[in-house]
Amino acid sequence: ARALGLHHIALSEILRIVLEAGFLNISFVAIVLGFTVSIISWRLNLDPDDVTIPILSSLADLFGILFLLLVI
């Protein structure tokens, strides 16, 4: 950007944008997973407290690790 004389974005602004996008992506994935697992457990007549919460916790851990690896 400096070589071409273009306006550049400050590092703090880039970090803020990346963090906000990451939080939005993780939140979206958590909502979609929660809804999907809840609907599946409801249709299979399973108790959501015994099935949904452990599955969602495991999936959240898995996707958290995957997002971390993608960022690295």
Side-chain angles (χ1 to χ4, degrees):
R2 288 181 187 169
L4 297 175
L6 301 174
H7 176 70
H8 65 280
I9 300 174
L11 180 62
S12 61
E13 185 70 17
I14 292 172
L15 288 175
R16 185 186 65 79
I17 292 169
V18 168
L19 285 172
E20 286 179 5
F23 288 137
L24 289 174
N25 285 333
I26 290 172
S27 299
F28 178 73
V29 168
I31 290 170
V32 169
L33 284 175
F35 182 76
T36 305
V37 170
S38 298
I39 294 300
I40 291 170
S41 68
W42 179 264
R43 288 186 180 175
L44 296 175
N45 292 325
L46 299 171
D47 185 18
D49 291 335
D50 294 335
V51 175
T52 307
I53 294 171
I55 290 174
L56 287 177
S57 296
S58 299
L59 288 174
D61 290 341
L62 175 69
F63 279 102
I65 291 169
L66 289 176
F67 281 132
L68 180 63
L69 290 175
L70 286 173
V71 169
I72 291 174

